[in-house]
Amino acid sequence: MVLSNPLIPFVIGLVIAVVLLVWVKLPAFVGLIIAAMAIGVVTPQIAFDAVPAQVAESFGDVMVSIGIPILMAAIIGKTLMDSGAAERIVRAFRSLTGEDQSEWALMGSSYVLSIPVFFDNVFFLLAPLGRSMKARTGVKFSLYISVLCAGALATHMLVPPTPGPLAMSAELDVDVGLALLVGVGLALPTSLLGGIVYGRFLHSREDFPLREAMGSSPESLKEKAETPVDQLPGLFESSLPIAVPVVFIASATITDALLGDGSFVADLAAFLGDPNFALTAAAMLSAFTFFRMEMDGDRSLFSDELTESIKSGGNIIAITAAGGTFGAMLEIAGVGQYIADGLVDFGLPLLFAGWLVAAVIRVAQGSGTVAILTGAAMMAPLTGDLTAHPVYMMMAVGFGGMIAPWYNDSGFWTVSKIAGITQAETFKTYSVVATIMSVSGLILVLAASVVMPLT
């Protein structure tokens, strides 16, 4: 059976996903795969007998990009926690900001790290610190998750040399330096509003319990929180599993921008900076600290502990890849493009149209990066009619691509499973934070384009 209007697969997929995940309460992986197959059945672009194979292919495509990083992140998460390294870093943050203001340390870290590093990878690295802070303070977990999401999302979507914004700047013919300055300037207030202001509001109404995630239980975290500092690993050693992948990935980005492809230095940096290698190196550093601090030379037990962390990572991979598959099937159905084409032809103000096109694509197919790249490509021919600099179109599209992440966004499942929070709690943090940032960002872009048009 095939239906010609792309909105039909979208509605069918949405209804089935909500029914299976919320009402029937199927495991997320199962519900999302069934919803993805249902979309394929009613999508004209896919032959009926090819639907299962297309779903499997889309699932495999997502696995290629997330499989090794998530499994290595699972090792990092468990070993950072159980070795006491995360607790040691938390205590260093607390000494700088004070325990009452520890959310600022997480906010700043995620904001800066997500400029060269993808959102998912930043969340992999920093979520264990938020969990350790919760274990130490007993409060603010909903706030910690909010600020981690806000800081990482803001620069990931707006600030070069993150690949999405970098590609947008090229598509819209915006100088990278100007894009970086304007992106940083607009990302900061929106991330503060979504992370700190909203996060504190959410915390005043509800705080989330600390659950087992990434192989670490609440009890083990609380035990580490009470450990004397001289029984924890040193700060430098504790920080290496976070610093090394960031340095490797950032070096690859910078080297590529300065040298391009072909030189030995560029090739070496690209090898080291690939997330598959960078997170593998980080996992080995973190595992070494764990072995030194906790295993007392027992290599068999060490192997068993790492295997357990990999098992938890496998579940996260399955769910995250299923969410990406769900979004990929919507993309094949042409849902986002169909709606976006209609919006462009509707005669809306150009900056608002750019924001709305990216927002609709994001909601329809799930990927923020796809949303901003598609939105920039669609709006590029129209930027000559702008009364302000095209950098504001870039920002409008970037903010539009943040809005309302839900089941078809692999990042939604990353946040949920890495942090150990429920689907409802993920909506209250990640989804609401992203939406607040998206809407407030549009307002800022419209105001800035009038006050400081840069033309």
Side-chain angles (χ1 to χ4, degrees):
M1 176 184 179
V2 293
L3 300 171
S4 59
N5 191 323
L7 292 180
I8 300 299
F10 175 59
V11 173
I12 289 175
L14 171 61
V15 171
I16 291 176
V18 171
V19 168
L20 294 181
L21 298 179
V22 178
W23 185 58
V24 180
K25 297 190 181 299
L26 281 178
F29 167 74
V30 178
L32 289 167
I33 291 298
I34 292 173
M37 287 190 176
I39 292 169
V41 169
V42 296
T43 296
Q45 293 88 335
I46 307 173
F48 177 75
D49 61 343
V51 169
Q54 181 61 61
V55 169
E57 181 180 340
S58 298
F59 184 83
D61 290 342
V62 181
M63 286 285 287
V64 166
S65 63
I66 68 168
I68 293 175
I70 286 185
L71 289 175
M72 293 303 171
I75 293 175
I76 295 168
K78 177 177 176 57
T79 53
L80 273 181
M81 297 288 199
D82 290 357
S83 68
E87 175 63 24
R88 183 65 184 86
I89 297 170
V90 165
R91 295 189 191 187
F93 278 155
R94 190 184 55 162
S95 68
L96 294 174
T97 63
E99 190 165 293
D100 291 341
Q101 302 294 323
S102 51
E103 60 268 22
W104 287 98
L106 286 178
M107 178 79 178
S109 299
S110 63
Y111 184 89
V112 172
L113 293 184
S114 200
I115 294 176
V117 182
F118 279 110
F119 172 89
D120 287 1
N121 292 334
V122 170
F123 202 85
F124 294 155
L125 294 171
L126 296 185
L129 305 188
R131 285 171 54 78
S132 282
M133 287 183 177
K134 164 66 175 179
R136 164 162 287 277
T137 64
V139 294
K140 289 190 176 183
F141 195 38
S142 56
L143 173 57
Y144 294 151
I145 299 302
S146 297
V147 297
L148 283 174
C149 291
L153 187 64
T155 49
H156 173 70
M157 297 295 286
L158 297 173
V159 181
T162 310
L166 191 64
M168 275 204 298
S169 67
E171 184 70 46
L172 296 168
D173 195 24
V174 175
D175 178 74
V176 173
L178 178 63
L180 191 152
L181 291 175
V182 176
V184 167
L186 294 179
L188 184 57
T190 57
S191 59
L192 293 175
L193 180 62
I196 298 293
V197 176
Y198 169 73
R200 286 178 173 172
F201 167 77
L202 177 62
H203 170 63
S204 70
R205 300 171 63 88
E206 178 181 7
D207 199 24
F208 306 155
L210 193 60
R211 304 180 182 89
E212 183 166 351
M214 304 294 286
S216 295
S217 67
E219 292 74 22
S220 66
L221 293 179
K222 291 173 183 176
E223 180 181 342
K224 289 299 177 186
E226 298 171 356
T227 302
V229 69
D230 59 358
Q231 296 179 23
L232 298 173
L235 180 59
F236 176 76
E237 181 183 3
S238 299
S239 303
L240 278 178
I242 294 177
V244 164
V246 171
V247 170
F248 281 180
I249 295 172
S251 297
T253 303
I254 294 169
T255 304
D256 180 64
L258 295 178
L259 301 179
D261 296 328
S263 69
F264 172 76
V265 173
D267 290 345
L268 177 61
F271 174 85
L272 297 176
D274 186 288
N276 294 294
F277 178 83
L279 285 168
T280 298
M284 294 303 96
L285 290 168
S286 186
F288 171 78
T289 300
F290 174 63
F291 179 80
R292 188 178 69 80
M293 297 296 298
E294 298 294 325
M295 292 293 98
D296 196 27
D298 190 335
R299 296 183 182 181
S300 295
L301 179 59
F302 176 65
S303 176
D304 291 342
E305 291 289 334
L306 294 192
T307 299
E308 285 302 310
S309 68
I310 292 170
K311 288 179 181 178
S312 69
N315 182 52
I316 295 167
I317 287 176
I319 295 170
T320 305
T325 302
F326 183 56
M329 296 301 286
L330 289 172
E331 184 177 1
I332 292 172
V335 177
Q337 192 71 44
Y338 175 82
I339 301 174
D341 287 343
L343 292 175
V344 170
D345 295 337
F346 199 64
L348 298 169
L350 285 180
L351 291 179
F352 179 74
W355 176 88
L356 190 58
V357 164
V360 169
I361 296 171
R362 170 61 183 263
V363 173
Q365 54 77 49
S367 169
T369 300
V370 170
I372 62 177
L373 295 182
T374 305
M378 293 184 67
M379 300 308 297
L382 307 177
T383 55
D385 296 329
L386 285 172
T387 58
H389 196 281
V391 71
Y392 291 116
M393 177 61 75
M394 176 181 165
M395 295 298 114
V397 170
F399 279 117
M402 291 182 188
I403 201 166
W406 60 294
Y407 293 145
N408 63 353
D409 173 27
S410 62
F412 178 94
W413 300 105
T414 295
V415 171
S416 175
K417 298 305 174 182
I418 298 291
I421 59 178
T422 66
Q423 294 174 32
E425 290 165 350
T426 308
F427 277 115
K428 292 175 183 177
T429 50
Y430 178 47
S431 299
V432 175
V433 165
T435 302
I436 289 172
M437 292 171 61
S438 178
V439 175
S440 62
L442 171 65
I443 295 171
L444 272 179
V445 168
L446 294 175
S449 68
V450 173
V451 174
M452 191 170 55
L454 300 177
T455 54

